[in-house]
């Protein structure tokens, strides 16, 4: 069988013929990438020139899409209401705000709010918290003066502001309206997902109180009379200083607390009294809320004053009736505190037990 036709013939050229010579088609293929590159560069230059006022136009579509999506995700969510705006501006990183309630009488010049703010300025480790304080106002004049003194103020929409704006002594109709309006407001704050430390404006802040709070506790409240056990429900509470974390348990409890206002006929409708009546209710155990009651040694009150100035964090002018009385006695306590700071600075304060200089409060002798 003849197989010569199946093999390539080499008789028409020498060994150099094994090297392929460039053809006209190959030359065209080599030129095409250069032409395409030139066209691409030209078009890119034109795009840059035409879009000089909008640099994003030079980005490829997927880059533009990625950028716009991430720009949207980076934006802070707009507040849905004026209350939410104020809360967002005043909140700490963990969404905690400090709230105090104000009316026209309490924000008047040289009245309660001035003393309250001054205590933050001169307290030990307290001034940093002023930017987290919200003054919740129940009348327009209180709101106007609050804005003059402080950056974070909120006006509650109240149709009966004329009754709420006065001194409102303890257990008067105006006073009861104020405390329950405050309770409803605090419940709304929890529902928006914000923890709060509520502090009456007749409380002076001497030291940072947050280290005194128990970790992993839902609800912590001050006492008029402390029985020596932070877990005991026999403690008689004072709702003027309350630290609450926002969760389902605290929201349910506050709803139960507010809803119990009308359950006890003929027994008073003060929020503290209602609390003391419901604190042992089976429902409170069912929701699993963790409560603690704060020692008056640190969270002092005029009912049971903290006797050691070296460890006191706050002092509340409860068990002191009348706005003028409260202002007078808190001024005296503030003078004691300034003297204590002065002596501490000079190194003259005894670190054993420093007592308040004033031996009376609102006409009652300190025990």
């Amino acid at each position: 069988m003849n197989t010569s036709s199946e093999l390539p013939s080499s008789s028409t050229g020498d060994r150099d013929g094994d090297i392929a010579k460039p053809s006209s088609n190959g030359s065209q293929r080599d030129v095409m990438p250069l032409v395409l590159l030139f066209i691409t560069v030209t078009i890119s230059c034109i795009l840059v020139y035409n879009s000089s006022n909008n640099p994003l136009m030079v980005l490829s579509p997927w880059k533009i899409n990625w950028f716009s999506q991430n720009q949207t995700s980076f934006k802070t969510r707009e507040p849905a209401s004026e209350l939410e705006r104020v809360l967002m501006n005043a909140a700490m990183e963990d969404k905690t705000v400090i709230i105090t309630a104000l009316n026209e009488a309490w924000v008047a010049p040289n009245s309660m709010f001035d003393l309250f703010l001054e205590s933050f300025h001169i307290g030990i480790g307290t001034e940093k918290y002023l930017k987290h304080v919200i003054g919740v106002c129940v009348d327009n004049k209180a709101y106007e003066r609050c804005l003059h003194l402080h950056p974070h103020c909120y006006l509650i929409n109240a149709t009966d502001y004329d009754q709420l704006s006065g001194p409102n002594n303890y257990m008067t109709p105006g006073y009861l309206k104020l405390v329950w309006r405050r309770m409803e407001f605090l419940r709304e704050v929890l529902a928006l997902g914000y923890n709060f430390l509520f502090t009456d404006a007749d409380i002076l802040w001497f030291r940072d109180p947050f280290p005194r709070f128990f970790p992993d506790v839902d609800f912590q409240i001050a006492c008029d009379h402390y029985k020596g056990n932070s877990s005991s429900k026999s403690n008689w509470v004072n709702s003027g200083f309350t630290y609450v974390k926002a969760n389902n348990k605290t929201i349910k409890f506050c709803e139960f607390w507010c809803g119990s206002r009308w359950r006890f006929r003929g027994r008073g409708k003060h929020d503290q009294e209602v609390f003391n009546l419901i604190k042992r209710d089976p429902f409170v155990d069912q929701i699993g809320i963790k409560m603690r009651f704060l020692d008056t040694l640190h969270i002092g009150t005029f009912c049971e004053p903290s006797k050691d100035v070296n460890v006191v964090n706050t002092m509340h002018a409860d068990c002191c009736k009348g706005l003028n009385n409260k202002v007078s006695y808190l001024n005296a306590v503030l003078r004691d505190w300034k003297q204590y700071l002065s002596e501490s600075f000079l190194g003259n304060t005894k670190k054993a037990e420093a007592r308040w200089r004033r031996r009376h409060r609102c006409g009652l002798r300190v025990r």
Side-chain angles (χ1 to χ4, degrees):
M1 181 176 63
N2 184 4
T3 60
S4 61
S5 61
E6 296 178 5
L7 298 175
S9 172
S10 61
S11 60
T12 57
D14 57 13
R15 301 181 69 90
D16 292 337
D18 293 337
I19 301 175
K21 295 180 181 180
S23 65
S24 60
N25 289 338
S27 299
Q28 291 176 359
R29 284 196 299 269
D30 292 336
V31 171
M32 285 302 296
L34 296 175
V35 173
L36 290 173
L37 179 60
F38 175 79
I39 293 173
T40 301
V41 171
T42 303
I43 293 174
S44 298
C45 292
I46 293 171
L47 286 174
V48 170
Y49 177 82
N50 290 337
S51 61
S52 58
N53 293 327
N54 186 6
L56 287 180
M57 290 298 295
V58 303
L59 298 175
S60 61
W62 72 268
K63 288 184 178 178
I64 294 174
N65 185 53
W66 177 90
F67 185 84
S68 61
Q69 287 178 352
N70 281 272
Q71 281 290 93
T72 302
S73 64
F74 293 155
K75 288 182 180 178
T76 303
R77 183 178 63 83
E78 292 296 323
S81 64
E82 174 63 12
L83 172 57
E84 196 169 4
R85 183 192 68 79
V86 174
L87 291 170
M88 289 173 65
N89 288 339
M92 304 178 196
E93 290 184 2
D94 66 347
K95 296 188 71 174
T96 296
V97 293
I98 300 169
I99 295 173
T100 192
L102 303 170
N103 66 2
E104 180 183 351
W106 283 48
V107 300
N110 302 314
S111 190
M112 199 66 70
F113 194 45
D114 285 345
L115 291 174
F116 177 79
L117 295 177
E118 184 180 0
S119 74
F120 275 83
H121 285 297
I122 67 174
I124 300 172
T126 55
E127 190 170 24
K128 63 185 178 184
Y129 289 114
L130 273 175
K131 62 185 177 183
H132 304 299
V133 172
I134 300 174
V136 177
C137 307
V138 296
D139 61 80
N140 288 315
K141 289 186 177 179
Y143 182 62
E144 291 172 4
R145 177 153 173 80
C146 179
L147 289 174
H148 179 71
L149 298 172
H150 189 67
H152 305 305
C153 304
Y154 177 75
L155 177 63
I156 291 180
N157 184 18
T159 57
D160 49 356
Y161 68 90
D162 54 333
Q163 186 177 12
L164 300 177
S165 62
N168 289 314
N169 292 334
Y170 182 72
M171 292 305 290
T172 61
Y175 175 84
L176 292 174
K177 279 191 174 183
L178 273 174
V179 296
W180 286 107
R181 188 69 54 83
R182 175 189 78 192
M183 286 297 304
E184 293 291 345
F185 174 80
L186 294 176
R187 185 175 68 168
E188 187 176 354
V189 171
L190 289 179
L192 289 171
Y194 287 85
N195 315 314
F196 68 78
L197 171 55
F198 178 80
T199 170
D200 275 339
D202 60 342
I203 294 179
L204 301 180
W205 283 47
F206 298 133
R207 292 182 176 88
D208 181 358
F210 281 90
R212 300 296 182 189
F213 297 136
F214 296 88
D216 303 321
V217 171
D218 304 307
F219 185 100
Q220 304 182 54
I221 190 167
C223 299
D224 279 341
H225 301 292
Y226 182 70
K227 304 296 185 180
N229 184 344
S230 64
S231 300
S232 174
K233 291 183 178 180
S234 64
N235 292 302
W236 200 255
V237 304
N238 187 295
S239 59
F241 194 82
T242 310
Y243 178 45
V244 184
K245 294 181 180 178
N247 56 46
N248 289 334
K249 291 177 286 187
T250 54
I251 292 172
K252 287 180 181 178
F253 175 74
C254 285
E255 288 174 350
F256 179 60
W257 189 358
C258 292
S260 298
R261 177 182 179 183
W262 307 110
R263 286 175 57 192
F264 307 101
R265 295 180 179 276
R267 303 188 65 177
K269 298 180 179 63
H270 189 285
D271 63 326
Q272 291 172 189
E273 185 173 4
V274 171
F275 180 95
N276 284 310
L277 291 168
I278 67 171
K279 61 189 177 184
R280 291 185 174 88
D281 193 286
F283 178 75
V284 178
D285 293 329
Q286 289 174 15
I287 61 178
I289 187 171
K290 292 182 180 179
M291 287 187 181
R292 290 293 183 272
F293 303 90
L294 301 171
D295 192 338
T296 52
L297 178 66
H298 307 297
I299 310 301
T301 72
F302 279 12
C303 298
E304 197 169 277
S306 172
K307 295 180 175 62
D308 191 349
V309 186
N310 291 310
V311 298
V312 67
N313 293 80
T314 61
M315 183 65 81
H316 188 181
D318 56 350
C319 293
C320 183
K321 294 182 180 180
L323 178 59
N324 290 336
N325 273 340
K326 286 177 180 285
V327 171
S328 175
Y329 278 82
L330 285 177
N331 262 311
V333 170
L334 199 58
R335 285 195 296 270
D336 283 354
W337 176 251
K338 291 176 181 177
Q339 182 65 31
Y340 169 81
L341 292 177
S342 175
E343 293 176 353
S344 296
F345 179 76
L346 296 173
N348 297 329
T349 299
K350 294 180 179 179
K351 295 301 180 182
E353 186 181 45
R355 295 178 178 272
W356 303 106
R357 296 173 184 274
R358 187 135 183 175
R359 303 300 298 163
H360 297 77
R361 38 125 175 106
C362 286
L364 299 175
R365 186 175 294 278
V366 176
R367 293 182 297 174

